[in-house]
Amino acid sequence: MSVTEHKNLPKAFSAASAQRAVDLARQTLQIEADAILALKNRLSDSTDEPLARAIGVLLECKGRVVVSGIGKSGHIGRKITATFASTGTPALFMHPAEAAHGDLGMVTENDIFIAISNSGETAELMAIVPIIKRMGAYVISMTGNDESSLARMSSIHLNVGVAKEACTLNLAPTSSTTATLAMGDALAVSLLDARGFMEEDFARSHPGGALGRRLLTHVRDVMRSGESIPAVTPDVSLSIALMEITRKGMAMTAVVDEANHPIGVFTDGDLRRLLERGEDFTKSSIADVMHRNPRTIHPDQLAVDAVQLMEEFRINQVLVADAEGKLVGALHIHDLTRAKVI
């Protein structure tokens, strides 16, 4: 349904107004996309490219990256700081007004200071940057004007200027903040790659997220162990094995030899299939009906590996065996669900 066909528009919001709103939204997105593309096209392949020099300096930083800006630039600075911190570049945000009242103590000579200001003339930044330089910290600026006071005062200046704001009044920071954020992302991603930052590293800084759980949770963290493992020897009757299945609540039991090596497994599904065939198995031993050579996984493997194993072989449980092949645990798909691995 098009905007003009919509029947539930507010009375004060006509179909024509709605269409204009959508057209302006498209125009905004196009202006901001053009701003980022222009930013990309300004980058040269020279090793003297300011972006390349900034990445090199940031890689050699012995301290932290301190990002600062005020107003909308401050909001963008906070996001850039968060991206740095989560991708292997220790960083913090410092409000420039608070810096002038004691927070400058956060900065050390080993730090790199990134100052963000579209005009490059922000009074609060201009008041502290000379002090930061005297302290010995390296200064990188991100402004929209190569000739601005802040650009001239910086060791490296990254030009994030845009042709115009997406705001119809050409006043509200829109495409300029988008371009600055994109430049911050470009820095962070380049640093991530140069540091050899991997998924495991990302997970360590995101332990509360889904990726963290997937990459930090090992089988030993979620498996059932000790008396909770359902296990019987191959000489017991099927009825005893069924009692073990019921007691342990895993809908299966492992079958182990004298050395505690898993040699078979029997599940609730196996029992249903026996019943469907109508066989008389009341006098059967578990060895007669078990599945031999069961799937196993090592306790030090990632829990997500267990998920993949279960999906590949369409099973709901897997046995856990150590390096000597001995049974040390058992894992049910519900254990992985509770641990939020899946």
Side-chain angles (χ1 to χ4, degrees):
M1 180 178 293
S2 70
V3 172
T4 54
E5 294 172 334
H6 202 293
K7 306 301 182 184
N8 298 316
L9 290 171
K11 291 180 180 179
F13 197 60
S14 66
S17 297
Q19 189 61 60
R20 172 174 167 74
V22 172
D23 289 343
L24 282 173
R26 289 196 182 101
Q27 178 181 308
T28 299
L29 294 172
Q30 187 61 59
I31 291 172
E32 297 198 356
D34 290 343
I36 293 178
L37 184 60
L39 193 63
K40 166 182 171 288
N41 291 337
R42 282 206 299 268
L43 299 177
S44 73
D45 293 329
S46 168
T47 55
D48 197 43
E49 160 63 44
L51 179 65
R53 290 193 289 120
I55 292 167
V57 169
L58 287 165
L59 276 173
E60 295 176 358
C61 179
K62 303 301 182 184
R64 299 157 303 175
V65 176
V66 181
V67 183
S68 189
I70 201 164
K72 303 300 186 295
S73 293
H75 295 310
I76 295 301
R78 290 181 189 278
K79 166 57 172 64
I80 292 173
T81 302
T83 303
F84 278 153
S86 69
T87 53
T89 299
L92 60 87
F93 179 82
M94 185 177 70
H95 194 286
E98 297 294 339
H101 295 276
D103 281 2
L104 271 176
M106 295 180 182
V107 184
T108 73
E109 63 180 8
N110 294 318
D111 295 336
I112 292 177
F113 188 80
I114 297 182
I116 302 174
S117 166
N118 186 45
S119 68
E121 304 294 342
T122 302
E124 291 85 353
L125 281 173
M126 296 306 300
I128 63 173
V129 167
I131 301 170
I132 289 170
K133 291 186 68 175
R134 285 199 296 272
M135 293 168 62
Y138 203 90
V139 177
I140 297 173
S141 63
M142 296 171 67
T143 85
N145 183 359
D146 282 326
E147 301 303 319
S148 65
S149 300
L150 184 56
R152 292 197 304 269
M153 194 178 293
S154 306
S155 300
I156 298 176
H157 174 242
L158 301 177
N159 189 329
V160 290
V162 299
K164 63 178 178 178
E165 298 289 1
C167 165
T168 54
L169 302 175
N170 197 30
L171 294 174
T174 44
S175 52
S176 60
T177 49
T178 299
T180 304
L181 181 60
M183 179 63 83
D185 286 342
L187 283 170
V189 172
S190 298
L191 288 167
L192 174 154
D193 180 74
R195 294 185 196 283
F197 194 83
M198 303 299 290
E199 286 184 336
E200 293 80 4
D201 302 304
F202 189 87
R204 277 191 285 273
S205 60
H206 296 75
L211 178 61
R213 288 190 294 271
R214 289 173 65 86
L215 295 179
L216 295 178
T217 304
H218 292 80
V219 170
R220 67 167 64 255
D221 298 326
V222 292
M223 72 182 189
R224 306 187 194 191
S225 57
E227 293 299 318
S228 298
I229 306 172
V232 296
T233 54
D235 57 314
V236 305
S237 66
L238 177 57
S239 59
I240 291 177
L242 293 177
M243 290 174 63
E244 178 72 355
I245 291 174
T246 301
R247 281 195 301 268
K248 301 301 172 64
M250 282 196 67
M252 70 92 181
T253 184
V255 183
V256 296
D257 61 17
E258 293 180 355
N260 201 36
H261 295 122
I263 59 173
V265 66
F266 187 81
T267 69
D268 279 358
D270 295 325
L271 177 61
R272 286 194 297 273
R273 285 182 283 275
L274 286 176
L275 292 172
E276 288 170 359
R277 291 201 298 267
E279 298 179 11
D280 181 10
F281 54 84
T282 55
K283 297 181 180 180
S284 299
S285 72
I286 191 64
D288 297 329
V289 293
M290 71 181 184
H291 279 291
R292 297 184 180 276
N293 302 316
R295 306 289 174 186
T296 63
I297 193 167
H298 193 275
D300 289 334
Q301 286 183 250
L302 290 173
V304 69
D305 293 335
V307 175
Q308 294 172 352
L309 184 66
M310 291 179 183
E311 290 176 346
E312 180 181 355
F313 294 101
R314 298 182 180 181
I315 55 178
N316 291 326
Q317 309 95 342
V318 65
L319 303 179
V320 185
D322 63 15
E324 297 177 354
K326 294 185 178 182
L327 184 68
V328 293
L331 196 56
H332 193 284
I333 195 167
H334 292 163
D335 301 323
L336 297 165
T337 302
R338 281 193 293 271
K340 297 182 179 180
V341 175
I342 54 176

